[in-house]
Amino acid sequence: MSQRELVVLGTASQVPTRHRNHNGYLLRWDGEGLLFDPGEGTQRQMLHAGVSATQITRIAVTHFHGDHCLGLAGVIQRINLDRVPHPVDVYFPASGEVYFERLRHATAYHETAVLRPRPIDEPGPLPAPGARFALDAVRLDHPVESFGYRLSEPDGRRLVPERLAAFGVYGPAVGRLQHEGAIEVDGRTVTLDEVSEPRPGQKFAFVMDTRLCEGVHQLAEGADLLVVEATFTDADAQLADDHGHLTAGQAAKAAAEAGVRTLVLTHFSQRYPDLSQHLADARKHFDGELVLAEDLARVPVPARRHP
């Protein structure tokens, strides 16, 4: 069975605390490992979480504030130290390319791995060679240029064993039917549609530092799993707006309006040692599966929607 889950490496915002490391999130998606916003300390958190550098296939940086990228230098060097055998795509805002290059070459090391920088000039589809999903960047509203990311699996079809049996399709014929779309069985044509049902593709969205904006809604729309910053409580909404962030209530309301199934709130300000108010603010709007992210937690992507 394929594995799809979010591994939370860090949940702090501007500064780490005793209980929260800087940002870092690894999305396991079948054979892929997408590392989002590796902040300071990410490499050590990977060790605690049982995540190896060889599991990383893509890195996505939303913006170049330190809590979202200072771990990039260590992660890149670890990728090279471990001689990761596959190319690793790295997505980031093109306006911060100078910061990417500084982090990539922060110290001397021996380059053994293939890193493919993918600077983002404009929102839209991103190159994702070999991926069985589409990856898109959406512009957000923060004091520096910031992009959110959306992963979308195409819709497909699921074979129904009872229907296959009813039409007498067995063994190698099943593979031929999937490949060709229709085959002859005992003098009649059996089509793929007759022995299968729609299988909705799954969607994941990652929203970090931003004010409430159209990009938040666009990223969240129909997401099976949404990871979104909730830096402030609703009582501090003015502070959130001043600094280009969301409150827990704003994030939860956007998720509810978008039909999100599992909502993960994270990126909490150090001013809140207790997150009970975040939970209360979010529950005013969102009654689905809600997770207040904790370091080293694992959050499964929910089972597929029924067609």
Side-chain angles (χ1 to χ4, degrees):
M1 180 178 291
S2 64
Q3 183 182 44
R4 296 183 179 182
E5 66 173 1
L6 178 76
V7 182
V8 180
L9 302 173
T11 58
S13 56
Q14 190 175 38
V15 298
T17 72
R18 285 191 175 94
H19 305 291
R20 301 180 199 143
N21 197 74
H22 264 164
N23 283 282
Y25 311 86
L26 182 88
L27 177 67
R28 299 184 194 270
W29 192 276
D30 302 343
E32 295 250 12
L34 293 88
L35 179 63
F36 293 90
D37 280 7
E40 186 180 349
T42 291
Q43 188 179 175
R44 191 164 187 271
Q45 293 294 94
M46 287 168 55
L47 180 65
H48 285 304
V51 173
S52 69
T54 56
Q55 293 171 358
I56 300 171
T57 57
R58 307 178 199 277
I59 301 172
V61 177
T62 59
H63 66 292
F64 284 98
H65 277 156
D67 53 322
H68 296 261
C69 67
L70 281 177
L72 194 58
V75 169
I76 288 175
Q77 291 191 27
R78 187 57 182 270
I79 286 170
N80 284 274
L81 179 65
D82 290 0
R83 298 177 180 270
V84 170
H86 51 260
V88 177
D89 293 290
V90 187
Y91 308 92
F92 55 87
S95 60
E97 190 161 10
V98 62
Y99 304 119
F100 170 75
E101 291 298 332
R102 288 173 183 169
L103 289 164
R104 182 180 184 181
H105 300 291
T107 67
Y109 66 97
H110 184 52
E111 293 189 61
T112 64
V114 177
L115 217 65
R116 298 190 294 208
R118 306 284 188 183
I120 304 168
D121 289 301
E122 297 291 338
L126 299 173
R132 295 184 177 181
F133 50 75
L135 192 62
D136 288 88
V138 176
R139 193 180 299 281
L140 296 171
D141 182 9
H142 197 52
V144 301
E145 187 170 43
S146 184
F147 290 97
Y149 296 94
R150 181 176 169 91
L151 182 156
S152 303
E153 179 187 37
D155 293 336
R157 298 195 69 83
R158 186 186 73 86
L159 293 173
V160 179
E162 294 80 10
R163 296 185 191 175
L164 289 169
F167 283 96
V169 182
Y170 301 99
V174 176
R176 286 179 43 227
L177 179 57
Q178 287 180 294
H179 180 70
E180 300 173 15
I183 59 173
E184 292 293 321
V185 178
D186 295 333
R188 65 151 295 178
T189 300
V190 178
T191 67
L192 183 60
D193 286 352
E194 289 178 303
V195 296
S196 63
E197 62 184 16
R199 186 198 66 182
Q202 292 190 304
K203 298 174 176 63
F204 167 85
F206 187 79
V207 179
M208 279 295 125
D209 298 15
T210 183
R211 298 179 182 90
L212 195 61
C213 63
E214 180 55 36
V216 174
H217 301 291
Q218 185 178 341
L219 286 159
E221 183 60 36
D224 295 280
L225 180 63
L226 169 65
V227 179
V228 58
E229 69 123 312
T231 310
F232 293 95
T233 63
D234 288 358
D236 292 323
Q238 188 58 57
L239 270 177
D241 189 66
D242 291 345
H243 295 284
H245 287 290
L246 294 172
T247 71
Q250 288 173 332
K253 185 178 180 183
E257 292 172 348
V260 169
R261 299 176 65 204
T262 297
L263 171 63
V264 179
L265 299 182
T266 188
H267 193 270
F268 306 114
S269 169
Q270 68 271 21
R271 70 177 54 228
Y272 309 110
D274 176 73
L275 300 178
S276 57
Q277 191 58 51
H278 283 74
L279 179 60
D281 290 344
R283 278 300 183 203
K284 293 175 185 176
H285 306 283
F286 188 82
D287 60 4
E289 184 69 24
L290 173 60
V291 177
L292 296 181
E294 297 180 356
D295 286 23
L296 307 182
R298 281 172 158 75
V299 183
V301 176
R304 294 183 185 279
R305 301 174 190 263
H306 293 296

